[in-house]
Amino acid sequence: MSERIACDVVVLGLGPGGQELATELAEAGLDTVGVEMHLVGGECPFYGCTPSKLMIRAADHVAMVHRADHLAGPATVEPDWSRPAARITDEATKGWTDDANAKAVQEAGVRLVRGHGRLVAPGVVEVEGVEYEASRGVVLNTGTEPLVLPIDGLADTPYWTNRDVVQVTELPRSLVVLGGGPIGCELAQAIARFGVAVTVIESDDRLLAVEEPESSELVTRLFEAEGIAVHTGVQVDRVEHDGTFVLTAGDLRVEAERLLVAAGRSNNIRDVGLENVGLDPDAKTVETDERMRAGDKLWAIGDITGHGRFTHVSTYQAEVAKADILGEDGPVADYRAVSRVTFTDPEIGSVGLTEEQAREQGLDVRTGFADVSGSARGWLDGEGNEGHIKLVADAGTGLLVGATTMGRTGGDLVAMLALAIHAKVPPSVVRRMHFAFPTYHGSVMTALDDLGL
């Protein structure tokens, strides 16, 4: 018989949303058990958002120095990877230890349990032979891991994933990035700016296939201008390694010193005991209702719910689940205005539906477009000013349903349009606002004029 310990709530997985939720439930007075098999804090601070953005920040400075030749005068830089590598290791991840995060949740009153947790019955989680019986229930937040691609020979090679590349202290001379999504594009550009010969291979017909075609086209053009080789619509048949990686795709043969596989992520739901609570472990996601309920005494938040693999979505869902667990009349989940940012240079901020998605839903679609480089701020900025604003509206309701803000500050600029979509602010109302001059907000006004609603 397994030892059984009573508690109020078990949070299985202490990534950003799980860590926040466990902390707040404990502070609200619930006997909360937090289960984590790896690092408290999850993918974002140790392998995702934080280390990758430190790499990108350093790489952007390299690019800015090169632009200074035209804008300010002769300038040179000798890129030194040891600088961002040291920031990642010493400042951000503390050598990939979670002492600070673990201490914080424990000081909040969470009972931290290390190990792999599995549901064995509604409200019951087993960890390393001990069962934790939660009177209120369990919150699943088990996250994702790098997708394993079924490519011949790949498994037998020392390829990198995002978890490996952020720990690199010396860059290779050449790198192939397999995957042209947000992670692949961000890392490809950052590493290329440190003098690495980079090739990106994407199976879809364009980079960043989830974004608007205009954004994909601009990223591809800028990548090629920076010397990054781009191959789209390519299915890799085989990967070999004998000191050097060799990727074969039909007649295409690419060689590089290192290979980074950044072709997506898979949800960690196959081995968490879903079958023991009436759910399908082979499903793609864990379905929830508007209060994040997934079943009897069960809630789910984060990547595994299928509403965007973003830290901000996970923490948003944590707030919804917390209110429901505490019996409060809290918010219900609303995903109409989920925003995302791809931190390439230029940045791509997106919210809501793309034009294609809106048409697939049968909406009476209207679009508005503005070239950011042609704005007053774009002209002032000069080199590095590429980008655009694209608005997607439903003429039937007269409301915005999607937007893309691509440019130097695209990741920040998208917030105003996310607010307009979330609060159902008519485009005409947004157009009558006054924005500081000269800023990139002026391009939003131009796109609204082009929209014509």
Side-chain angles (χ1 to χ4, degrees), residues 73-132:
T76 61
V77 61
E78 296 181 9
D80 180 359
W81 186 255
S82 69
R83 309 294 180 89
R87 287 193 71 195
I88 292 169
T89 301
D90 301 333
E91 299 177 29
T93 67
K94 306 297 183 183
W96 288 271
T97 60
D98 65 353
D99 296 347
N101 290 348
K103 181 180 180 182
V105 297
Q106 289 174 311
E107 287 182 344
V110 177
R111 284 194 273 169
L112 177 59
V113 177
R114 302 279 189 176
H116 176 62
R118 296 186 81 255
L119 292 158
V120 294
V124 183
V125 174
E126 187 270 331
V127 187
E128 308 298 332
V130 178
E131 293 184 354
Y132 297 86

Side-chain angles (χ1 to χ4, degrees), residues 346-357:
E347 295 177 352
I348 306 171
S350 305
V351 59
L353 304 176
T354 63
E355 178 183 354
E356 181 181 5
Q357 290 170 335

Side-chain angles (χ1 to χ4, degrees), residues 202-209 213 216 220 230-235:
E202 167 57 40
S203 61
D204 214 312
D205 61 359
R206 58 187 174 95
L207 298 181
L208 301 171
S216 300
T220 301
V230 176
H231 299 282
T232 57
V234 172
Q235 295 284 348

Side-chain angles (χ1 to χ4, degrees), residues 307 313 316 332-340 350-354 357 361 363 392 397 399-403 414 417-425:
H307 292 289
V313 170
Y316 167 77
V332 295
D334 180 353
Y335 304 107
R336 290 177 300 109
V338 174
S339 56
R340 62 183 182 274
S350 305
V351 59
L353 304 176
T354 63
Q357 290 170 335
Q361 291 190 14
L363 303 182
V392 181
T397 62
L399 297 175
L400 293 172
V401 294
V414 75
L417 294 169
L419 178 61
I421 294 172
H422 180 81
K424 299 181 180 180
V425 180

Side-chain angles (χ1 to χ4, degrees), residues 17-348:
Q19 180 181 351
E20 178 179 302
L21 179 57
T23 298
E24 294 186 359
L25 290 175
E27 290 175 341
L30 295 189
D31 182 359
T32 304
V33 172
V35 180
E36 177 55 55
M37 65 180 297
H38 191 33
L39 295 170
V40 177
E43 192 82 9
C44 181
F46 294 104
Y47 303 109
C49 321
T50 302
S52 67
K53 303 313 170 281
L54 289 176
M55 295 163 62
I56 292 166
R57 174 66 170 165
D60 285 349
H61 276 289
V62 174
M64 289 171 67
V65 172
H66 293 317
R67 291 167 182 156
D69 273 344
H70 173 70
L71 297 172
T76 61
V77 61
E78 296 181 9
D80 180 359
W81 186 255
S82 69
R83 309 294 180 89
R87 287 193 71 195
I88 292 169
T89 301
D90 301 333
E91 299 177 29
T93 67
K94 306 297 183 183
W96 288 271
T97 60
D98 65 353
D99 296 347
N101 290 348
K103 181 180 180 182
V105 297
Q106 289 174 311
E107 287 182 344
V110 177
R111 284 194 273 169
L112 177 59
V113 177
R114 302 279 189 176
H116 176 62
R118 296 186 81 255
L119 292 158
V120 294
V124 183
V125 174
E126 187 270 331
V127 187
E128 308 298 332
V130 178
E131 293 184 354
Y132 297 86
E133 184 173 10
S135 59
R136 299 205 183 187
V138 176
V139 182
L140 283 179
N141 180 49
T142 46
T144 62
E145 60 186 16
L147 184 65
V148 178
L149 297 177
I151 298 175
D152 186 26
L154 178 63
D156 298 324
T157 69
Y159 67 88
W160 288 341
T161 69
N162 68 296
R163 294 179 180 178
D164 303 301
V165 73
V166 299
Q167 301 181 62
V168 170
T169 56
E170 292 186 13
L171 291 178
R173 292 182 299 274
S174 57
L175 173 72
V176 174
V177 178
L178 190 52
I183 296 174
C185 285
E186 288 179 358
L187 296 177
Q189 186 181 45
I191 291 171
R193 287 179 168 180
F194 274 82
V196 178
V198 175
T199 299
V200 179
I201 298 177
E202 167 57 40
S203 61
D204 214 312
D205 61 359
R206 58 187 174 95
L207 298 181
L208 301 171
V210 299
E211 303 297 342
E212 296 283 9
E214 297 91 339
S215 302
S216 300
E217 181 181 347
L218 181 52
V219 164
T220 301
R221 177 166 60 82
L222 294 176
F223 272 22
E224 292 174 340
E226 292 190 28
I228 301 171
V230 176
H231 299 282
T232 57
V234 172
Q235 295 284 348
V236 174
D237 303 316
R238 179 167 178 76
V239 177
E240 300 173 81
H241 181 266
D242 185 11
T244 299
F245 282 90
V246 178
L247 284 74
T248 305
D251 295 333
L252 178 66
R253 187 175 187 273
V254 179
E255 296 186 24
E257 186 178 331
R258 287 289 184 178
L259 168 63
L260 168 62
V261 177
R265 304 187 67 81
S266 59
N267 289 333
N268 294 324
I269 60 177
R270 290 184 179 276
D271 190 29
V272 295
L274 292 181
E275 66 279 7
N276 296 321
V277 292
L279 299 180
D280 181 6
D282 293 322
K284 292 183 178 180
T285 62
V286 177
E287 294 187 8
T288 65
D289 66 9
E290 61 187 10
R291 303 302 297 272
M292 308 316 303
R293 301 168 184 153
D296 181 24
K297 303 176 76 171
L298 184 67
W299 294 261
I301 63 172
D303 296 357
I304 61 175
T305 65
H307 292 289
R309 290 168 175 159
F310 312 118
T311 293
H312 53 279
V313 170
S314 181
T315 54
Y316 167 77
Q317 292 175 328
E319 286 296 310
V320 175
K322 181 187 75 170
D324 197 51
I325 292 168
L326 293 176
E328 299 173 350
D329 291 328
V332 295
D334 180 353
Y335 304 107
R336 290 177 300 109
V338 174
S339 56
R340 62 183 182 274
V341 180
T342 299
F343 291 91
T344 47
D345 177 16
E347 295 177 352
I348 306 171

